[in-house]
Structures are given as C-alpha cells and as structure tokens.
Amino acid sequence: MSQVPHFPRTITIADVAKAAGVSSMTVSKVLRGTGRIATETRARVTQIAEELGYVPNRLAGALSSQTSSLIGIVIPSIGDQVYAGVLAGINEVLNAEGYTAFIGESFFDPESELRIVHMMLTMKPAALILTGGLARDERTAQLLRRSGIRAIHLWDGDHPDLDATVGLSHLRAGWLAAQVFIEAGLTGCAYVGSQLDRDLCAACRLEGYSVALSGAGATLQKLTDSSLPRTAETGYVLTRKLIEQGEMPQAIHYLNDAMAIGGLRFMIEAGIAVPDTISVNGFNGTALPHSLTTRLTTIEVPLMEIGRRAAKAALATSPPDAQRPVDLIDICLTMGTTVAGRSS
C-alpha cells in the first residue's frame, strides 16, 4: 500500500492531489477519465483515491453540468409490499443503465410530496417518478413544470398526468372484484378498507366495485376507517366490527391483500366458513406467494413490470410538444379458494 497520510474528515480532491504529488486538476481529470494523463500517473492517482476513500461530489458535478445520474422516486411507503415490488422493477432497469434511485416517502400527504420534490430538484435529477393517487398540491405541479425535469406519473392510470403515465385502471380492478361475486350469484356484498380519504386509487377501486354491484342489483355495505393503517390487523378489526354490527354479508372485497388476510383470520377464529358462508377477495396479489391451504382470490397486479415500464418511461426522451403517453398495464383476477362456487 502507498504511504498516504490519515485524514480524520471528509477527503477532498486537494487531499488526493497532495498525497499523489500532482495538481487538483490532474486528479479531477483522472477521476473523470478525461485529459492526456500518463498511464503511471493515472494509476497512482486512482490507487491513492481508493486508499484514502475519496468519494466524488456527484451533486456538485450535477449542479455544474446540469446533468445527474440520479432518478428521484416518491412513493407512499417503502414498507408497503406493493411499492417494494414496483421499486424492484424500477431498480432493475436503472441499475442496468447506470442510474441510481433516490427514494422519498409521501405517506399520501401532498405537503410531504411537495417537500420531497423540492429537495430532489435541488439535486438536478435526470428524471422523477411520482406515485399518483393523492391530491397533488398545485405548487408541486408548478415546480415540475418550471424545472424542465421529465416526470412520470406512476400507478394511477385512470387520471393521466405529468410527462407520461404508467399504471393500471383502478376502476377496472374494482369492476373485476365485483364481477367474480356477481358471477357466483352473491348479491349481499361488503367492502372493507381504510385511508380512502388519502389513497385516491383505493377510492377509485371502491367506485368501480360499487358501480358494478349496483348495475347487477347487488347491495353493498361499506366499512372504512381513515385513521387505521392498511394492514392485516386493521382487516381483522374492521371485519369483526362489520360482522358484529349488522347483517352477515355474502361476500367481502378488501382494499388490499393484507387486509383480506386479517379478515380471513378473524373469520377462521369466529368459525365463519370461507367461502361457504362468506366469500372474500383482495387486491394486488401480494398474498399469492404465501398461500398454503387457503389461496386468496385477488386482483393480481404485475408490480415489477409496472416498475420496469416506469423506469423506461423516465429514461425516454420526447420533444416538448409531444403527446403525453399513457401505458396501462393489464391486470387480472386470479381465482383462489375464497369465493363460493369458484376455485382455481
């Protein structure tokens, strides 16, 4: 190893230059792979930079060149299995193209999205990917328009926005959830969900579900709570409340698979036969890999494929006056063992 000094602070180009016995300009050229630098000098500078642990200030480079290898991504929650799948697809494409994802969580809060977008724009990202389904602040839209940064509207295919949209029709997802109950002859239906005041895509699915049931002459009980998280425990609590407060429904559609799993757990504990007494379906397909004897009927969404297409849309280029493309992803209802008279 070369004899280099110890620096108990952030290493700078000047530190590398001093240790290598060259100018800061030479170090900069070596690290950027530019200029006519002797092979021996280039090798020595590279080795010393590695030994010192020098990390280039990519933000400073972005600010001076107006370019960056960062892609900003704003999702509701990194802990949600849905967005974990989407992020996996995004990163698969970005990593292959030499880009790095920078992720922020909005928790469906427009003010949080505004703050995150503002911070990301200071880093001069190559593009932004923003999850739809929340009441976006007009100030966020203005920031994006003025920045000139390409922005992709993710997940909400029913309300296209920004420079391009990649998502699914949540109205259709709700229709599919209702249709499987209707085809099974189930007319006393219910819905269990939470936070619909913030998650506009979930509210859109409920709309599609409600309209389809109404058109078939089916009834609908709705039980939601704006304060509870979209988890299995919430599904358990709300299902118990639904069953205890009124007439037993024939079928329940849940906001997501996690809540459906919680509802199934309550029904098992309460001795309610599924699907003989109550049929159940969910949304997003995240329960499918974990199914054992009971396989949830659910709307399956190709999460990684949505992520891949969103990343490709972010990296695409188009003239300023080009039409804003909408890429709607196909979804399907996957039959399990939780709907009466229907099984896979």
Side-chain angles (χ1 to χ4, degrees), residues 253-278:
H253 172 51
Y254 288 85
L255 178 143
N256 60 21
D257 279 13
M259 295 185 72
I261 290 170
L264 286 170
R265 181 163 63 86
F266 167 76
M267 285 183 261
I268 291 170
E269 292 179 5
I272 299 171
V274 177
D276 295 339
T277 302
I278 298 180

Side-chain angles (χ1 to χ4, degrees), residues 5 7 13-22 27:
F7 296 94
I13 279 185
D15 297 327
V16 177
K18 182 177 180 180
V22 298
V27 173

Side-chain angles (χ1 to χ4, degrees), residues 10-323:
T10 301
I11 304 301
T12 67
I13 279 185
D15 297 327
V16 177
K18 182 177 180 180
V22 298
S23 68
S24 295
M25 181 62 72
T26 297
V27 173
S28 179
K29 289 180 178 179
V30 168
L31 298 179
R32 287 186 288 115
T34 61
R36 295 182 179 181
I37 309 296
T39 302
E40 181 181 343
T41 300
R42 188 179 295 278
R44 184 172 75 257
V45 169
T46 301
Q47 180 183 354
I48 289 175
E50 291 176 355
E51 291 173 2
L52 289 176
Y54 172 71
V55 178
N57 188 336
R58 298 299 186 193
L59 176 57
L63 293 174
S64 63
S65 66
Q66 303 299 308
T67 60
S68 168
S69 62
L70 291 176
I71 303 290
I73 304 169
V74 185
I75 58 173
S77 172
I78 201 168
D80 190 315
Q81 281 185 283
V82 166
Y83 300 108
V86 172
L87 285 175
I90 290 174
N91 278 320
E92 179 183 296
V93 172
L94 296 187
N95 290 341
E97 297 295 330
Y99 288 85
T100 301
F102 187 85
I103 302 166
E105 296 175 287
S106 70
F107 301 104
F108 293 110
D109 176 29
E111 285 287 339
S112 293
E113 184 190 54
L114 172 62
R115 175 180 53 79
I116 294 167
V117 168
H118 187 277
M119 181 273 296
M120 287 182 170
L121 288 176
T122 67
M123 304 177 73
K124 301 294 183 182
L128 293 174
I129 300 174
L130 310 180
T131 303
L134 80 170
R136 179 161 294 135
D137 194 302
E138 177 57 28
R139 291 173 294 174
T140 304
Q142 289 178 0
L143 273 177
L144 293 171
R145 286 194 294 267
R146 292 170 181 168
S147 72
I149 301 295
R150 184 170 176 80
I152 306 304
H153 186 66
L154 178 69
W155 192 243
D156 183 4
D158 295 298
H159 306 96
D161 198 5
L162 307 179
D163 295 307
T165 297
V166 179
L168 62 134
S169 171
H170 293 268
L171 281 170
R172 174 166 170 74
W175 181 89
L176 286 171
Q179 198 62 31
V180 71
F181 291 155
I182 293 167
E183 291 176 359
L186 305 171
T187 56
C189 300
Y191 173 86
V192 171
S194 65
Q195 300 180 344
L196 298 188
D197 55 328
R198 288 189 282 169
D199 183 352
L200 303 186
C201 286
C204 199
R205 293 196 298 275
L206 174 56
E207 180 185 352
Y209 179 64
S210 178
V211 169
L213 291 178
S214 178
T219 60
L220 173 60
Q221 301 179 61
K222 291 182 283 188
L223 184 58
T224 66
D225 192 307
S226 62
S227 63
L228 295 177
R230 302 128 56 86
T231 62
E233 184 58 31
T234 296
Y236 181 99
V237 169
L238 293 183
T239 302
R240 179 178 62 192
K241 184 176 181 180
L242 176 72
I243 300 302
E244 292 175 349
Q245 75 178 11
E247 183 179 349
M248 181 90 73
Q250 295 177 299
I252 306 174
H253 172 51
Y254 288 85
L255 178 143
N256 60 21
D257 279 13
M259 295 185 72
I261 290 170
L264 286 170
R265 181 163 63 86
F266 167 76
M267 285 183 261
I268 291 170
E269 292 179 5
I272 299 171
V274 177
D276 295 339
T277 302
I278 298 180
S279 293
V280 169
N281 66 30
F283 168 80
N284 68 32
T286 56
L288 295 176
H290 310 292
S291 301
L292 296 175
T293 56
T294 299
R295 190 165 187 263
L296 180 66
T297 297
T298 185
I299 311 297
E300 189 170 3
V301 181
L303 301 174
M304 285 193 66
E305 182 59 20
I306 288 178
R308 292 186 191 104
R309 294 199 199 178
K312 290 176 182 177
L315 300 180
T317 56
S318 57
D321 58 347
Q323 288 189 337

